[in-house]
Amino acid sequence: MRRGRADPDTCEHLTTVRGRVVRSLTVGEQRSRTGPLVVIVPGLGLPFYTVPTARALVARGLDVAVLDLPGFGSSLPWPTRPSIHAVGLTAARWVEATASGRPVVVLGHSTGGQAALTAGLALSARRRALSVVLAGTTFAPEQRRLWRLAGATPLAYRDDGPAEVDVAELYRGRTGIVAMLRSGLRDAPEQRVGHLPVPLTVTAGVHDAFVPVSWLDRLARSARRAPAVRTSLLGGSHNNLFTHPDAVADLVVLAADDATRSGA
């Protein structure tokens, strides 16, 4: 474990998972080895913008780990291919390696939501104390063409700004980011979510054009096996984990309660 260079309250952890090194970030000191753990899977493999939500969750008494998957957050070799399902399966394996016996919330944002769904499906075969949060999950069926996606993009980020972007992550990601995007466009989470047997929360920023209310509702309705489904529109647009971290954290606290009760 080592302290982050830019953020002294952020710690970097390196965990070997099936022979590959997975980097994760935590904020402050970990409080518990048995209490709930929130695992954040960022969109397009860009972890920087998720740290404000991690801090807000820590302030609410939860332990949090931001997974650097596929690995654009550092100069280390990527531990997995830049695809939705590869990232999701690696996230699930990281949870199995590090969070034995703990309730877990897998929080995925944007394409990270698609990967979090993969992780949730994999983990649910082996653990009960689990819940999944899909935040700003892409892509609505009508946006699964590049030209349609391009049309929605300016409005999707209307409440966001350049401070949310780490230029170094973008540079390291380059072709990998494109691969993640293409993988997300080929995915149909509304079909896969029907197999998820754990509590589910779906949420988005109210001004997020990537997640119209009809898409949010469709994801919720499609979760037929989930014992509980919560939907919520929060403030901001697509990257509201950066702009509205307290609102997102308040919602994830409820999901942590879901995971704890499911394992009781």
Side-chain angles (χ1 to χ4, degrees), residues 242-261:
F242 188 93
T243 59
H244 292 71
D246 290 313
V248 175
D250 287 342
L251 187 63
V252 177
V253 167
L254 300 178
D257 291 340
D258 292 339
T260 301
R261 286 195 299 268

Side-chain angles (χ1 to χ4, degrees), residues 127-214:
R127 62 170 59 216
R128 294 172 54 198
L130 175 70
S131 70
V132 174
V133 179
L134 304 181
T137 299
T138 48
F139 291 99
E142 63 271 19
Q143 295 178 3
R144 291 175 193 164
R145 297 288 186 274
L146 284 174
W147 64 272
R148 291 182 176 176
L149 183 63
T153 297
L155 290 177
Y157 295 99
R158 71 186 84 175
D159 293 343
D160 296 305
E164 301 161 36
V165 178
D166 184 315
V167 176
E169 289 180 355
L170 288 174
Y171 178 77
R172 286 189 293 262
R174 296 197 304 282
T175 57
I177 292 171
V178 175
M180 284 292 295
L181 177 64
R182 291 187 178 278
S183 176
L185 289 170
R186 293 190 295 268
D187 186 32
E190 73 278 11
Q191 296 177 11
R192 298 193 296 123
V193 77
H195 302 286
L196 187 71
V198 301
L200 173 69
T201 299
V202 290
T203 181
V206 66
H207 293 152
D208 184 356
F210 288 151
V211 189
V213 172
S214 59

Side-chain angles (χ1 to χ4, degrees), residues 18-43:
R18 295 201 176 185
R20 301 290 184 91
V21 175
V22 176
R23 177 176 176 264
S24 61
L25 300 173
T26 61
V27 177
E29 299 298 328
Q30 297 290 285
R31 293 177 170 86
S32 172
R33 294 190 177 185
T34 58
L37 173 68
V38 180
V39 179
I40 301 179
V41 185

